[in-house]
Amino acid sequence: CTANEPQQGWSINGCGQGHNLQVKVLTYNLFWWNLFGQRNGNGGSAGQLIASAHAQQPFDFMGFQECENVNWVIGDAGLLGEFETMPGPHAMCMAYRKSAWQKLADSSQDVGEDRWDQWYGTRAGMWARLQHHETGQVVFFLNHHGPLPVHTGGMCGGEATAFNLLKLIASNAHVDDVVILVGDFNAGPQSQTVQSLQGRLHPVYTGTSFGGVDNVLSSCANVVSTRNLGSGGSDHDALEAVLQL
C-alpha cells in the first residue's frame, strides 16, 4: 500500500499542440456476468447502444470494465472492422479507431486491491499511447476499474489508489501527451480517490450509477460535450465525452 504523494502543486495539464482535433471517448462497465453470461448479450443491446452513439460522431477510444470478450461487444456494434481491440487484465478492455490512430505503446499495472470484506483481487490501470495519423498528436488513454468496497479505495484507501494512478501516468506518458482517464472507479465524487485525482486532472464527466462511480478525467479542460447514453442492459450507464485538443 505504499504510494508517494505528488509534489505540492504538481498537476497534469495540457490539450496538446492545438491541432483543433475533437476526440470522443467512451467508458462503460458491461456487467458481464449478467448481461453476457446469464442473458447472452441481451440481443446485442450494449453493442447497439455503442453503434447508435458512434453513428452520430465516431468514437476514438473506448474503455470497458467487466469485459471478458471485447470482440463480442464491438462485434455486436458492427465495428470490428473499424476498431483495434485490446483485452487487458482484471476483465478490462479497450478499443481504438484504427483508421485515425496508431498504437505506440501499451501496458498495465496494479494500482490497488479490494478490501478483505469484498475481495476479488487486485485492481489495475490499463493504458495505451495512441498517435493520431493526420496531426501526430499523442493521447495517453488510461482505463481503470477501482477497488471495492465502493467509495472506500479498497485495502489501501482512495488516496493511495489515486496516487498510484498518477504515478503510472507520470512514469509512462510523455510531456506533450494529452491524458484521458476513464473507468468505473468504484468511487464517487466525494471519495478520496476522486478528490485526489481531481486536484491534478480536470473532471470531465461523472455518471449517476452507484453514486457516481463512472468517470472521465483529462489533462485537457476543453470539453465540447458529455452525454449519458443509458445502460444498454448493464447495471451501469455508458458515458461519452468529446474533448477539443
Side-chain angles (χ1 to χ4, degrees):
C1 288
T2 301
N4 296 321
E5 183 175 4
Q7 290 183 347
Q8 188 73 26
W10 182 86
S11 62
I12 304 169
N13 291 293
C15 294
Q17 303 301 306
H19 294 295
N20 199 31
L21 171 67
Q22 286 197 0
V23 173
K24 183 176 175 179
V25 303
L26 172 80
T27 184
Y28 196 4
N29 182 317
L30 293 168
F31 196 30
W32 193 274
W33 72 270
N34 181 287
L35 178 55
F36 291 87
Q38 293 192 346
R39 289 183 281 157
N40 199 37
N42 192 39
S45 58
Q48 291 166 22
L49 178 152
I50 294 168
S52 176
H54 180 78
Q56 297 169 46
Q57 178 178 349
F59 285 107
D60 292 283
F61 312 123
M62 305 184 196
F64 299 103
Q65 309 83 42
E66 296 190 34
C67 171
E68 300 285 352
N69 181 348
V70 63
N71 286 346
W72 187 347
V73 66
I74 297 296
D76 282 349
L79 297 174
L80 279 174
E82 293 186 48
F83 282 81
E84 191 72 30
T85 57
M86 300 171 58
H90 310 311
M92 291 192 298
C93 309
M94 301 198 309
Y96 65 92
R97 187 159 54 94
K98 56 190 178 184
S99 63
W101 302 86
Q102 63 176 338
K103 183 173 65 177
L104 301 179
D106 69 286
S107 190
S108 62
Q109 183 177 326
D110 284 345
V111 295
E113 185 171 358
D114 293 337
R115 205 170 64 189
W116 64 270
D117 51 333
Q118 207 171 345
W119 193 88
Y120 291 91
T122 56
R123 302 291 179 143
M126 174 191 184
W127 61 268
R129 292 188 70 237
L130 299 146
Q131 185 173 42
H132 191 243
H133 291 313
E134 187 177 332
T135 65
Q137 178 63 56
V138 177
V139 169
F140 185 90
F141 186 64
L142 173 59
N143 182 26
H144 173 57
H145 191 194
L148 292 167
V150 172
H151 309 306
T152 69
M155 184 181 297
C156 300
E159 197 171 57
T161 300
F163 291 166
N164 281 330
L165 283 166
L166 293 168
K167 182 179 179 181
L168 186 155
I169 295 168
S171 300
N172 295 285
H174 293 200
V175 171
D176 292 326
D177 292 1
V178 175
V179 175
I180 303 174
L181 167 60
V182 305
D184 166 12
F185 295 176
N186 274 320
Q190 304 307 315
S191 67
Q192 272 196 320
T193 303
V194 173
Q195 290 292 311
S196 297
L197 289 170
Q198 287 187 353
R200 296 161 178 91
L201 286 165
H202 299 287
V204 174
Y205 194 39
T206 298
T208 58
S209 303
F210 298 95
V213 297
D214 301 298
N215 288 276
V216 180
L217 297 95
S218 180
S219 63
C220 182
N222 295 340
V223 181
V224 176
S225 65
T226 58
R227 189 162 56 133
N228 187 319
L229 301 176
S231 70
S234 176
D235 60 344
H236 288 249
D237 293 330
L239 306 181
E240 73 166 37
V242 180
L243 297 171
Q244 184 87 31
L245 308 189

